[in-house]
Amino acid sequence: MEKKKVSVPLVCHGHSRPVVDLFYSPITPDGFFLISASKDSSPMLRNGETGDWIGTFEGHKGAVWSCCLDTNALRAASGSADFSAKVWDALTGDELHSFEHKHIVRACAFSEDTHLLLTGGLEKVLRIFDLNHPEAPPSELDKSPGSIRTVAWLHSDQTILSSCTDIGGVRLWDVRSGKIVQTLETKSPVTSAEVSQDGRYITTADGSTVKFWDAYHFGLVKSYSMPCTVESASLEPKYGLKFIAGGEDMWVHVFDFHTGEEIACNKGHHGPVHCVRFSPGGESYASGSEDGTIRIWQTGHTTLDEKESSTANGPMGKVKVAVNDVARKIDGFHIGKDVQTEAKGERSTES
């Protein structure tokens, strides 16, 4: 008799309040990394494959709404309700720069060349900070029709993407002119916007719909209705054959990109799912929830037999970067043994 397959996620504890943003680094010589933003004011860095905690960035005085890593995973950035965006040394955890704003910062993104930091928030202003000259005033794009919810770079840093908290649509800005050159129309506000790894697609979540747009010609490629209101969606980066979505029903849904058919449904969170992202190789994906946990799911299901032969750090033989190796490399990152043990990714038996 065939054994029923169950999804067995790695459960990453450590945040004391809801997890509201996740970001994977590209694959680096040291592996790949996952940074999380939470209302507890302390972004956390993890080994992206095992979920093991590496360190916590300490310094914000309010909820952190957004986080990101640069292309080489050497620097992190975060946007906060304390009216600041901060840039951190991802190797030591030290604060490198703090950029003051006049209102809550909801979104931040490093440029592809890593020299610039883009921010947006309740001020309705996009700011571009030159990290080579952090003391210089930022460039400002102030024509946003509403409070900014998401930002991203595309077209080799020549174009900026933004969406608003209370108005539908995605706006595309020409960086040189500072003007909106295109608007991708949606009925509901876009709560998640992701540029695919190959730069071909923009994936958006608005209300109970996930849409895929051509990133060069801006046409709508696919639009699928979801089983509930979703807050976040992500396209599998390697082959682009599937996508994930999470929202108010507390589940992480997996869909076929070409047909929109649901092919898997992962249950385990105990609150709405605020953010989902695929790892850079597509072999796993992470979800962050109102319940304060991050869950890392394997793209393929795990059988009960395989589960029993797995370690707490992931399947045997697949771990490229052990947490101890990373900890040795960045031993200045305020890591305590008790916290390291407590915040390790633990394999859950929930399904």
Side-chain angles (χ1 to χ4, degrees):
M1 184 172 160
E2 187 181 349
K3 292 192 177 181
K4 184 182 177 183
K5 294 185 176 183
V6 294
S7 283
V8 184
L10 288 163
V11 183
C12 306
H13 300 281
H15 285 297
S16 59
R17 298 210 52 212
V19 178
V20 292
D21 195 26
L22 293 170
F23 185 95
Y24 275 105
S25 77
I27 297 171
T28 75
D30 296 308
F32 61 93
F33 301 90
L34 175 66
I35 187 171
S36 54
S38 168
K39 292 182 182 179
D40 67 8
S41 80
S42 300
M44 289 187 178
L45 186 69
R46 296 176 184 276
N47 179 311
E49 186 162 14
T50 66
D52 286 326
W53 176 84
I54 294 172
T56 301
F57 300 99
E58 297 178 344
H60 278 299
K61 306 297 186 197
V64 175
W65 287 105
S66 179
C67 59
C68 58
L69 293 162
D70 70 11
T71 308
N72 305 308
L74 297 177
R75 289 177 297 183
S78 51
S80 172
D82 66 7
F83 294 17
S84 76
K86 294 183 185 292
V87 178
W88 314 82
D89 186 322
L91 300 183
T92 65
D94 295 331
E95 181 182 309
L96 299 176
H97 313 293
S98 184
F99 299 117
E100 297 307 311
H101 292 63
K102 296 174 184 174
H103 214 313
I104 292 169
V105 182
R106 283 299 302 261
C108 61
F110 283 107
S111 59
E112 188 180 333
D113 66 11
T114 76
H115 298 315
L116 306 172
L117 181 71
L118 170 65
T119 67
L122 270 63
E123 277 184 86
K124 306 180 183 179
V125 177
L126 290 164
R127 288 186 173 85
I128 302 172
F129 295 89
D130 185 343
L131 299 178
N132 294 324
H133 304 282
E135 69 290 338
S139 304
E140 294 189 354
L141 289 68
D142 60 0
K143 304 295 185 189
S144 177
S147 300
I148 295 160
R149 174 69 181 261
T150 66
V151 298
W153 298 85
L154 62 163
H155 304 153
S156 301
D157 303 331
Q158 296 177 49
T159 307
I160 286 171
L161 170 160
S162 71
S163 72
C164 296
T165 304
D166 44 7
I167 302 171
V170 173
R171 279 138 208 100
L172 296 158
W173 306 70
D174 179 77
V175 173
R176 284 169 292 187
S177 70
K179 295 179 179 177
I180 297 171
V181 294
Q182 186 81 25
T183 299
L184 311 179
E185 298 292 348
T186 66
K187 289 183 179 179
S188 303
V190 170
T191 51
S192 169
E194 175 191 72
V195 180
S196 64
Q197 197 167 277
D198 60 8
R200 289 177 59 195
Y201 297 112
I202 300 166
T203 304
T204 62
D206 70 289
S208 58
T209 307
V210 173
K211 295 181 174 69
F212 300 91
W213 310 81
D214 185 310
Y216 292 99
H217 304 291
F218 307 126
L220 181 61
V221 179
K222 303 275 186 185
S223 179
Y224 296 121
S225 294
M226 296 288 103
C228 70
T229 299
V230 295
E231 199 169 331
S232 185
S234 182
L235 180 64
E236 191 278 314
K238 197 167 185 181
Y239 304 108
L241 299 178
K242 59 184 72 172
F243 68 95
I244 51 174
E248 65 178 16
D249 68 358
M250 302 186 279
W251 301 344
V252 181
H253 302 268
V254 186
F255 299 91
D256 183 289
F257 171 75
H258 294 291
T259 67
E261 179 185 355
E262 182 168 326
I263 53 181
C265 180
N266 298 312
K267 303 175 184 180
H269 281 296
H270 303 294
V273 175
H274 295 308
C275 43
V276 293
R277 284 294 178 260
F278 265 104
S279 67
E283 68 281 347
S284 62
Y285 48 93
S287 54
S289 168
E290 183 74 15
D291 65 16
T293 68
I294 301 162
R295 280 167 160 76
I296 299 176
W297 314 80
Q298 296 304 306
T299 301
H301 290 305
T302 306
T303 65
L304 290 171
D305 285 348
E306 290 168 337
K307 172 198 160 192
E308 289 167 4
S309 64
S310 296
T311 70
N313 285 341
M316 295 284 282
K318 285 192 69 179
V319 179
K320 297 173 187 171
V321 185
V323 68
N324 291 336
D325 295 338
V326 180
R328 278 198 295 273
K329 180 184 174 188
I330 54 175
D331 54 5
F333 201 157
H334 322 303
I335 301 177
K337 286 185 179 178
D338 54 337
V339 184
Q340 183 173 329
T341 303
E342 180 182 307
K344 269 190 178 183
E346 299 170 354
R347 193 163 285 277
S348 166
T349 56
E350 294 163 349
S351 60

